[in-house]
Amino acid sequence: MLEREAELLGADEGTALTRFRDAVKTVHARLFEGYDQGIPVSQLLQARSQAVDTLLRCAWQRVMPDADAGALVAVGGYGRAELHPASDIDLLILVDEAQLEPLQAPLTTLITFLWDIGIELGHAVRTLSECASAAAADLSVISNLIEARFITGQAVLFEQLQAAIAPTRMWPTDRFFEAKIAEQHKRWQRYGETAYNLEPNIKENPGGLRDIQMITWVTKRHFGSDSLRELVDHGFLTESEHLALIEGRALLWRIRFALHRLTGRHEDRLLFDYQRTLAEQFGYSDHSDTLAVEQFMQQYYRTVMELNRLNEMLLQLFREAILLQDRIGPPEPINRRFQSRSGYLEVTHEQVFRQRPIALLEVFHLLQLRPQLRGIRASTIRLIRENRHRIDDAFREDVRARSLFMEILRHPSGVTDTLRRMNRYGVLAHYLPAFANIVGRMQYDLFHVYTVDEHTLRVLRNLRRFSIPAHDHELPLCSAVARRVPKLEILYLAALFHDIGKGRGGDHSVLGAHDAWDFCQLHYLSEFDSRLVAWLVEHHLLMSVTAQRKDISDPAVIQAFAEQVGDINRLDYLYLLTVADVRGTNPKRWSTWKDALLRELYHAARRSLDRGLDNPQAQDVLIEQKQSEAMRILARQGIEAEDCRNLWFRFAVDFFAPSQPEEIAWQTQRILDARPEDLPMVNLRLLPTRGCTEIFIYLQDRENLFVRITALLDQRNLDIVNARIMTTDDGMALNVFQVLTRDHEPLEQGDLSDDLAEQLRHELRQAPDSEPRVNRRLPRQLRYFPIETRISFTDDAANQRTLMHLTTRDRPGLLAEIGTVFERCDIQVRGAKIATVGAEVEDVFFIATRDATPIRCGQTLSCLRREIHDRLDQPPSGN
């Protein structure tokens, strides 16, 4: 890969820099040629390390006055000879204390020369005593030095270093192991305790390269060996496990190599920017039911899951060998097949799963029955992995297996942990073959932040929390409803199957419902319970879609939803499943606002079901009740009922239908108190029950009002989640916007909200002489999701309006763009429901003609459709 050392050493001063630079470029060029030719990455990493060794030895001999003046030592990844294309060259320059000052000048020349020829260094110059002190005090330093490799110089110094950091001098194996375990746990916590991030770090995430390095560090410290093969010789790994470890590392190395090449820098994050390109480079192509990038990422996720399993098993074996020094306590019998030892569950003999395959489920149920157990012993985990193929059709048809699986689901504690273990060890996917398809399956969007199997188990965990009194404070209504449902296992089964149909083509809800029905019938659930589970799976999106995309203040919407649900029992189950599902999809996007929407829909549907589906509530009766209650509230503030009636006479039903009496009273008082010189009136208030900030604006109606308000709110980085736009009979505009910050929280009261109110007043006093622009940059992640703009219209004659359903890619200034189109097409906006699902927005606009009638003119609708496509099909600003 590199020219002979003599050619580098023989170069004169004038040509040395050029020749060394050319050599560095040659190394990289040949590295990439080898990659394209299919040479294993492990060989390329070693070849680059060897080439760098040669360059450093030559540079050392050219610059240093005495080749034995110190020792040049490779540490870190370079010490392991695992140099990726953009990896830093980590060097330790070890010198005698007496030579430290005389060598300062030549060492400075050396470091400068190495940087000049294109070698990016991470270096330290230390004496032997400084190395020993730093290593004794710092875990990362001793870890680096454990991997140290001599390159050139005074070999005796390196040998002295090795002796100084030996386990007999510092960091004995047991202390080192405990510290590395704690370090790994902290690292996992930083990455959310999961390998399944949307943009994973292939080095630092659980199951990543750092976990493999963790194993090599312990192996090196305990056995004095650099080879993972040594773990087979010592009985810590089987041949097949060693192969899985090596193959998993090879894939991660290959991905990391490709990342460095693609980005031209040290990059370990699988960002959306690179995932599609890497999928293509790795030979994947789109299929009808799954994208190439999803296939590529599924391979990655399944690999890190397997590496995570091996890491868990090996560290437990290390714990027994290093901390307990194989002094395992005596077995405590549980039954003929299982016993506990030192707090871990194990089989009584190695033939248990071969002789009685049903024990592959029994082992997990025993952990539920004995919560004092800390887990499954590593040797038994290995046997589970080796015997899980015994879970076949005959196993699944065994009445004992079916009964035992249902006992696991019905047990009052440990359901989530048990199913997680079953998934981690591959048992769940063997028992539920359809589940195997979703293991490690990602969805290429910004909404689903976990793989489907991880999401499923998080939904189940959320459902479990509803039934645990210690968590009642989180979502009190959910906890109360959970205590009313007759059978919690129905919820758990619905959670297990709600997304199991993903990735198979077709409607995943329908596919999952068929799977759920078959499972329930095979597991002896009654026909009633089986139908309920299948119905929940098929309709698990019904409640969230209704709450987020429809006008739930409209009695007709509530009536239609209640008719689909049918009875209160189903409503209870659906409400719990919906909350758990939404929270488990993207926890950062769960908010009090979404909680309030679902609660409001739940209560409204329950009232409708209590009243009877054949007795729907009329909107005029509902509005009359709200007005009466609002007047009672206002009367306590000294406001006469006659004043309210005179004001409300000018208002359309849009003012009353979506609002609670308290909101009607608050807005009415603000309007009645406002003087002409106070306009435009802007009031902000926190709505704790809805978890949002409400912005109430009242002024003379004018052109581009919706556009100017939405543009300013967008520029202030606020998300509009709901909007109501109304013009009174005397030409006054009454606008209500409910907003959240980008962190899905209400706007803080005080200086921030006061500043926003003043900015809005200032903006609304300006002449509408230009189209407002939003200068906020497009977030990086949104650029990688090409989403087709889709528009549809629904006539809502009962409310004298048209519903425009818009699906498109999110972008800064989107609402202002849509508002501009409405102005151009002479359309009145009366309200909006804003829902952002990852990179995709699914908005509903309630629109009408200027005469406040539904839009039935085909020419107007065509204008809307054409103008919106013209605007939104262009690359968004900031791209």
Side-chain angles (χ1 to χ4, degrees):
M1 185 171 282
L2 190 64
E3 58 192 302
R4 293 190 300 274
E5 293 186 37
E7 296 177 8
L8 293 173
L9 289 171
D12 58 42
E13 293 300 324
T15 61
L17 196 62
T18 300
R19 188 165 291 186
F20 271 82
R21 281 176 178 165
D22 290 343
V24 171
K25 293 176 182 176
T26 298
V27 169
H28 278 86
R30 292 179 180 172
L31 201 65
F32 295 144
E33 286 174 13
Y35 181 81
D36 292 335
Q37 292 166 6
I39 295 175
V41 170
S42 58
Q43 294 180 27
L44 297 175
L45 303 185
Q46 192 167 35
R48 185 185 179 218
S49 301
Q50 291 169 350
V52 172
D53 288 353
T54 300
L55 286 166
L56 292 177
R57 277 195 298 268
C58 292
W60 179 272
Q61 292 178 47
R62 290 186 62 88
V63 173
M64 298 302 289
D66 179 357
D68 290 333
L72 198 58
V73 179
V75 293
Y78 180 31
R80 295 190 303 272
E82 296 174 6
L83 274 186
H84 285 265
S87 293
D88 290 342
I89 311 300
D90 293 326
L91 285 177
L92 168 65
I93 302 174
L94 196 59
V95 296
D96 282 329
E97 196 155 345
Q99 295 180 315
L100 188 56
E101 188 172 340
L103 289 177
Q104 281 186 353
L107 286 176
T108 300
T109 302
L110 174 67
I111 298 304
T112 302
F113 180 78
L114 294 176
W115 277 102
D116 286 346
I117 66 174
I119 292 181
E120 295 190 10
L121 294 177
H123 71 281
V125 179
R126 285 181 175 146
T127 65
L128 192 63
S129 60
E130 287 173 338
C131 280
S133 297
D138 192 319
L139 183 64
S140 62
V141 174
I142 186 65
S143 300
N144 263 344
L145 292 180
I146 284 173
E147 300 169 319
R149 182 170 54 83
F150 178 72
I151 300 173
T152 191
Q154 190 178 349
V156 173
L157 269 178
F158 179 72
E159 292 167 3
Q160 290 172 343
L161 173 64
Q162 294 292 86
I165 65 169
T168 54
R169 298 280 188 90
M170 65 176 65
W171 291 102
T173 305
D174 56 350
R175 184 173 164 232
F176 179 77
F177 176 69
E178 285 186 305
K180 295 305 287 187
I181 287 287
E183 181 184 66
Q184 177 172 279
H185 285 324
K186 287 180 182 178
R187 175 168 51 83
W188 284 5
Q189 287 172 354
R190 288 200 306 272
Y191 289 89
E193 298 279 1
T194 179
Y196 296 147
N197 293 317
L198 278 180
E199 296 182 307
N201 186 308
I202 63 173
K203 186 175 180 181
E204 303 292 348
N205 266 101
L209 287 168
R210 189 70 80 190
D211 283 4
I212 302 176
Q213 290 168 15
M214 165 75 172
I215 295 168
T216 60
W217 280 321
V218 176
T219 304
K220 176 82 170 180
R221 199 66 174 163
H222 190 59
F223 299 114
S225 171
D226 293 321
S227 172
L228 292 173
R229 187 69 181 73
E230 189 96 4
L231 295 174
V232 179
D233 300 336
H234 287 279
F236 286 90
L237 285 177
T238 64
E239 289 287 355
S240 62
E241 290 164 349
H242 175 255
L243 180 62
L245 187 59
I246 296 302
E247 289 180 344
R249 183 178 65 179
L251 176 66
L252 296 189
W253 272 352
R254 189 178 167 212
I255 294 173
R256 192 181 188 211
F257 190 103
L259 264 176
H260 284 201
R261 183 184 187 182
L262 179 63
T263 62
R265 64 178 185 273
H266 187 126
E267 178 62 82
D268 295 327
R269 298 166 301 164
L270 261 175
L271 302 179
F272 289 121
D273 313 43
Y274 321 128
Q275 289 178 12
R276 284 183 179 272
T277 303
L278 289 176
E280 183 180 349
Q281 289 181 5
F282 276 61
Y284 291 97
S285 57
D286 292 346
H287 295 163
S288 59
D289 57 352
T290 181
L291 299 173
V293 66
E294 293 173 339
Q295 299 167 52
F296 168 67
M297 292 303 295
Q298 185 168 28
Q299 182 191 23
Y300 165 79
Y301 289 127
R302 287 183 170 179
T303 298
V304 295
M305 172 186 267
E306 180 66 10
L307 291 173
N308 198 232
R309 292 168 180 165
L310 289 170
N311 176 273
E312 175 195 12
M313 187 184 71
L314 274 170
L315 293 186
Q316 192 183 133
L317 290 170
F318 285 157
R319 177 182 177 276
E320 294 178 2
I322 297 171
L323 299 184
L324 302 179
Q325 298 179 0
D326 294 322
R327 295 191 300 271
I328 308 300
E332 298 177 18
I334 294 177
N335 58 32
R336 293 172 59 188
R337 295 166 297 284
F338 294 98
Q339 60 196 20
S340 68
R341 192 190 292 265
S342 297
Y344 287 87
L345 184 64
E346 68 174 4
V347 292
T348 52
H349 58 87
E350 290 192 354
Q351 300 302 313
V352 163
F353 298 126
R354 181 190 299 272
Q355 295 174 359
R356 185 179 167 85
I358 193 70
L360 286 163
L361 288 181
E362 183 185 8
V363 62
F364 297 102
H365 188 41
L366 284 174
L367 286 175
Q368 289 180 300
L369 297 173
R370 295 172 178 262
Q372 70 276 14
L373 290 171
R374 298 167 62 183
I376 303 173
R377 196 172 174 205
S379 55
T380 299
I381 293 174
R382 172 176 289 140
L383 290 172
I384 292 172
R385 290 159 50 84
E386 291 174 350
N387 286 277
R388 58 194 177 190
H389 66 279
R390 302 184 189 281
I391 304 177
D392 53 15
D393 288 341
F395 182 104
R396 288 184 283 270
E397 291 170 4
D398 191 324
V399 64
R400 296 169 301 170
R402 295 174 179 176
S403 299
L404 194 50
F405 188 84
M406 291 307 301
E407 282 186 50
I408 289 172
L409 283 184
R410 290 177 174 133
H411 198 269
S413 64
V415 175
T416 302
D417 288 342
T418 301
L419 289 174
R420 280 195 176 281
R421 278 198 178 95
M422 292 173 70
N423 187 42
R424 191 158 65 244
Y425 304 146
V427 170
L428 190 58
H430 277 75
Y431 189 73
L432 299 175
F435 197 87
N437 184 61
I438 63 171
V439 172
R441 176 171 289 278
M442 63 92 68
Q443 295 170 85
Y444 191 66
D445 58 40
L446 289 175
F447 182 61
H448 299 89
V449 299
Y450 304 113
T451 56
V452 182
D453 59 322
E454 176 70 10
H455 161 70
T456 297
L457 295 173
R458 285 178 179 261
V459 172
L460 200 138
R461 181 205 64 177
N462 291 340
L463 290 171
R464 287 284 303 147
R465 291 170 78 92
F466 296 155
S467 63
I468 300 173
H471 299 295
D472 283 359
H473 64 283
E474 295 176 0
L475 295 164
L477 178 59
C478 288
S479 296
V481 173
R483 292 192 178 94
R484 288 202 300 266
V485 297
K487 298 176 181 178
L488 287 171
E489 68 267 22
I490 286 177
L491 274 175
Y492 305 154
L493 285 171
L496 271 179
F497 284 93
H498 82 288
D499 276 352
I500 207 167
K502 286 189 172 178
R504 282 193 268 159
D507 187 331
H508 78 277
S509 299
V510 174
L511 292 170
H514 288 309
D515 290 342
W517 168 263
D518 292 341
F519 178 90
C520 291
Q521 288 292 283
L522 290 172
H523 286 73
Y524 314 112
L525 272 71
S526 68
E527 184 166 336
F528 177 85
D529 288 348
S530 299
R531 291 192 183 283
L532 177 54
V533 173
W535 183 88
L536 287 168
V537 172
E538 185 171 357
H539 297 88
H540 70 272
L541 296 174
L542 172 63
M543 194 168 195
S544 60
V545 168
T546 302
Q548 295 184 73
R549 302 179 198 171
K550 296 186 179 182
D551 182 3
I552 58 175
S553 67
D554 184 349
V557 170
I558 300 301
Q559 176 73 10
F561 173 73
E563 287 175 355
Q564 282 184 278
V565 174
D567 60 57
I568 290 175
N569 186 53
R570 276 185 174 180
L571 177 65
D572 286 345
Y573 278 112
L574 181 61
Y575 171 62
L576 295 175
L577 180 60
T578 302
V579 173
D581 188 18
V582 176
R583 288 184 84 199
T585 300
N586 188 338
K588 291 183 179 179
R589 292 199 173 258
W590 172 257
S591 62
T592 309
W593 163 256
K594 288 184 179 178
D595 177 30
L597 277 182
L598 293 171
R599 274 191 287 112
E600 188 175 334
L601 177 56
Y602 172 80
H603 286 308
R606 189 177 178 93
R607 287 193 295 269
S608 180
L609 291 166
D610 282 338
R611 190 169 51 248
L613 294 176
D614 56 349
N615 184 30
Q617 187 171 25
Q619 188 177 65
D620 55 351
V621 174
L622 182 62
I623 289 174
E624 186 177 338
Q625 292 172 352
K626 290 181 178 181
Q627 289 177 336
S628 298
E629 179 60 27
M631 281 193 284
R632 278 194 291 270
I633 296 171
L634 289 165
R636 294 196 290 268
Q637 307 299 321
I639 296 175
E640 298 292 336
E642 189 64 24
D643 292 335
C644 296
R645 292 191 188 95
N646 289 337
L647 177 67
W648 291 346
F649 181 74
R650 309 200 305 268
F651 292 175
V653 295
D654 291 357
F655 178 74
F656 306 99
S659 303
Q660 296 302 313
E662 294 80 6
E663 295 176 75
I664 296 170
W666 183 79
Q667 293 171 6
T668 298
Q669 184 173 6
R670 295 297 171 281
I671 295 172
L672 291 173
D673 288 346
R675 300 167 300 174
E677 59 267 28
D678 294 332
L679 303 183
M681 180 184 72
V682 179
N683 283 286
L684 275 70
R685 66 167 180 161
L686 176 67
L687 295 181
T689 57
R690 291 198 175 182
C692 67
T693 296
E694 182 176 271
I695 303 172
F696 178 52
I697 300 172
Y698 182 71
L699 75 167
Q700 189 73 37
D701 195 17
R702 58 193 294 184
E703 184 182 348
N704 278 342
L705 191 58
F706 179 81
V707 176
R708 304 187 79 83
I709 295 171
T710 55
L712 190 147
L713 294 177
D714 197 320
Q715 190 65 41
R716 289 290 298 253
N717 225 18
L718 293 171
D719 282 330
I720 300 169
V721 291
N722 196 22
R724 287 189 284 122
I725 315 297
M726 190 189 78
T727 303
T728 65
D729 292 346
D730 56 347
M732 298 300 291
L734 192 156
N735 295 348
V736 179
F737 294 88
Q738 293 176 340
V739 301
L740 297 172
T741 67
R742 297 293 175 184
D743 294 327
H744 313 288
E745 297 290 338
L747 185 67
E748 288 185 15
Q749 299 297 292
D751 292 343
L752 284 176
S753 58
D754 292 345
D755 178 61
L756 174 62
E758 185 54 42
Q759 191 175 0
L760 279 165
R761 291 188 196 99
H762 175 77
E763 174 68 23
L764 295 175
R765 289 189 186 109
Q766 306 305 308
D769 53 358
S770 62
E771 184 178 318
R773 303 295 299 173
V774 176
N775 298 319
R776 186 168 58 84
R777 291 181 61 82
L778 181 74
R780 172 187 61 81
Q781 293 178 324
L782 294 183
R783 301 175 186 179
Y784 304 100
F785 296 92
I787 296 168
E788 178 189 1
T789 297
R790 301 186 301 277
I791 306 165
S792 63
F793 299 97
T794 304
D795 192 37
D796 184 10
N799 292 298
Q800 291 295 293
R801 64 191 183 184
T802 297
L803 275 57
M804 186 184 87
H805 304 264
L806 171 68
T807 300
T808 190
R809 180 169 69 167
D810 192 17
R811 68 191 70 195
L814 176 63
L815 288 179
E817 296 262 19
I818 301 301
T820 300
V821 172
F822 289 149
E823 290 285 345
R824 289 186 178 180
C825 293
D826 206 27
I827 296 298
Q828 179 188 88
V829 188
R830 291 169 58 179
K833 293 273 284 188
I834 311 300
T836 304
V837 184
E840 186 173 85
V841 298
E842 297 176 344
D843 297 346
V844 179
F845 296 90
F846 306 104
I847 56 179
T849 66
R850 293 296 181 187
D851 296 330
T853 60
I855 304 168
R856 296 194 173 97
C857 173
Q859 186 174 354
T860 303
L861 295 178
S862 295
C863 168
L864 267 177
R865 193 186 300 274
R866 181 180 63 255
E867 289 274 350
I868 290 174
H869 275 294
D870 286 348
R871 277 188 170 261
L872 300 189
D873 289 344
Q874 300 298 318
S877 60
N879 213 346

